[in-house]
Amino acid sequence: MINKVKKAVFPAAGLGTRFLPATKASPKEMLPIVDKPLIQYAVEEAERCNIKEFVMITGKSKRAIEDHFDYAWELEENLKSKGKEAMLEEIRRLAQHQFAYIRQGAPLGLGHAILCARPFVKEEPFAVILSDDIIDPEDKLLEEMLHIYNKYEATVLALERVPKDEIHRYGIIAGTEIKKNIFEISDMVEKPKASAAPSDIAIIGRYILTPDIFDFLAKTPPGKGGEIQLTDALKALLKKKPVYGYLFEGKRYDAGDKFGYLKATVEFALRNNEVKDQFRDYLLSTLSSIMSNKEH
Ligand code: G1P
């Protein structure tokens, strides 16, 4: 596939209050799922789609992200001397890409974070990846979205049906399914009450945006929660240009939430070659003791 999208933007300036105190001095994006930080899963997803330029929107206490994707001479020498070639290769591979870091001076919202990327993105289409949403590496969400972008050359959002009691946590769309799982979007609203939502189809943390979104973001006033919302700018854009959505039916973990984070940890541990057998046995024995406690 010829890739017209070469850059990915990773908003990473959030305070991570749901994971305090772990996130007091270190970024939420560096919380590990087994042995890899959330932000690395996100970067690797873009890498798999041949995207090699990464723009991180960071804020206070986020320097560890920069160090994580940098060369680490001492560590590399150490791995080399111990013959740990596979790990050495992984660490070097990531550092070879181009990373730009932009500081979002104040927590003014997702829309404002994206606007901060403008000087680096310039006049190109780009992907936005929210690292809280982990997409199963076996599923091809971003790749499908890039196919849709290649066809329509227009904005593409990732969508997922959500249960009624979760509607208030997402941007929710109205739209028409024009092909299997491809929607033309006619309206959207940021975090509505379930009773006022136009559907049960939520926007999840993957977007392919066109550079014209920046003008809309620059004009977007603060919305829900007093923040500049990407959803509001997209709603203004769709009055002028078509906006598409791809309904994802694969596996997503909301690692921005404690329960979602734990589910991702358990499932990724069950696939990790180093620990999977031991971990499965442990889970089974824990489960059987939970069950026998219940019976007594
Ligand atoms: C953001 C967006 C929201 C979207 C969600 C997906 O919200 O504002 O429209 O549905 O990401 O994860 P946040 O989770 O940052 O509050």
Side-chain angles (χ1 to χ4, degrees):
M1 180 176 79
I2 302 167
N3 209 350
K4 297 180 182 163
V5 176
K6 299 188 167 60
K7 292 178 178 159
V9 173
F10 301 81
L15 295 175
T17 43
R18 275 189 257 170
F19 284 92
L20 280 170
T23 48
K24 183 177 172 227
S26 59
K28 168 180 81 168
E29 294 74 16
M30 290 300 293
L31 290 174
I33 302 285
V34 187
D35 52 10
K36 236 186 243 181
L38 293 176
I39 190 78
Q40 187 174 336
Y41 286 98
V43 164
E44 288 180 352
E45 187 182 331
E47 226 187 357
R48 286 195 295 277
C49 293
N50 221 7
I51 294 176
K52 293 180 181 144
E53 291 172 58
F54 307 113
V55 183
M56 302 274 172
I57 312 298
T58 69
K60 203 176 166 306
S61 306
K62 300 283 183 172
R63 293 228 329 251
I65 299 178
E66 224 164 306
D67 291 340
H68 184 72
F69 292 109
D70 199 359
Y71 287 101
W73 189 82
E74 257 179 333
L75 175 66
E76 288 170 26
E77 285 303 309
N78 181 289
L79 292 172
K80 211 166 158 186
S81 71
K82 290 185 177 141
K84 297 192 169 168
E85 295 296 331
M87 183 50 68
L88 180 64
E89 150 64 18
E90 182 176 341
I91 281 177
R92 281 196 178 151
R93 191 196 75 236
L94 287 170
Q96 277 161 13
H97 298 309
Q98 263 191 43
F99 287 90
Y101 295 89
I102 302 176
R103 248 176 124 94
Q104 185 185 13
L108 299 179
L110 178 61
H112 178 258
I114 307 290
L115 187 56
C116 292
R118 188 175 204 168
F120 281 82
V121 168
K122 300 194 177 99
E123 291 302 314
E124 288 177 45
F126 60 105
V128 171
I129 301 189
L130 307 186
S131 61
D132 275 1
D133 273 335
I134 301 187
I135 301 299
D136 192 311
E138 304 283 309
D139 286 322
K140 298 201 165 14
L141 170 57
L142 196 58
E143 201 168 325
E144 288 297 336
M145 293 172 73
L146 290 167
H147 279 300
I148 298 171
Y149 176 79
N150 277 355
K151 181 161 179 206
Y152 296 103
E153 302 219 337
T155 303
V156 186
L157 316 181
L159 306 174
E160 192 183 86
R161 285 193 195 278
V162 294
K164 214 172 162 198
D165 61 345
E166 289 181 17
I167 281 179
H168 68 280
R169 289 171 39 190
Y170 295 95
I172 303 291
I173 66 117
T176 315
E177 190 167 13
I178 53 169
K179 264 191 184 176
K180 188 170 164 30
N181 291 353
I182 301 179
F183 284 70
E184 184 163 350
I185 297 174
S186 55
D187 196 10
M188 60 183 85
V189 42
E190 180 67 7
K191 303 193 174 95
K193 281 190 189 144
S195 56
S199 73
D200 63 345
I201 304 179
I203 302 168
I204 56 168
R206 302 292 180 274
Y207 305 74
I208 309 290
L209 301 178
T210 54
D212 45 7
I213 194 65
F214 292 128
D215 283 339
F216 288 92
L217 283 169
K219 283 185 233 144
T220 301
K224 191 97 190 172
E227 296 185 342
I228 296 170
Q229 297 293 349
L230 177 58
T231 305
D232 293 342
L234 287 166
K235 185 179 163 128
L237 173 75
L238 71 77
K239 292 190 178 125
K240 310 251 158 130
K241 294 196 170 173
V243 172
Y244 297 93
Y246 172 68
L247 188 69
F248 179 59
E249 291 180 324
K251 213 151 199 198
R252 173 179 69 98
Y253 304 91
D254 179 4
D257 164 84
K258 269 187 198 131
F259 185 47
Y261 177 81
L262 291 172
K263 282 197 273 189
T265 301
V266 169
E267 295 201 21
F268 281 61
L270 285 169
R271 295 182 208 171
N272 181 286
N273 285 337
E274 213 179 306
V275 293
K276 64 181 180 193
D277 296 333
Q278 219 182 348
F279 189 59
R280 191 197 49 236
D281 292 348
Y282 165 75
L283 282 184
L284 289 172
S285 75
T286 307
L287 197 63
S288 72
S289 75
I290 293 174
M291 296 309 277
S292 67
N293 280 345
K294 253 192 182 169
E295 280 156 20
H296 294 129

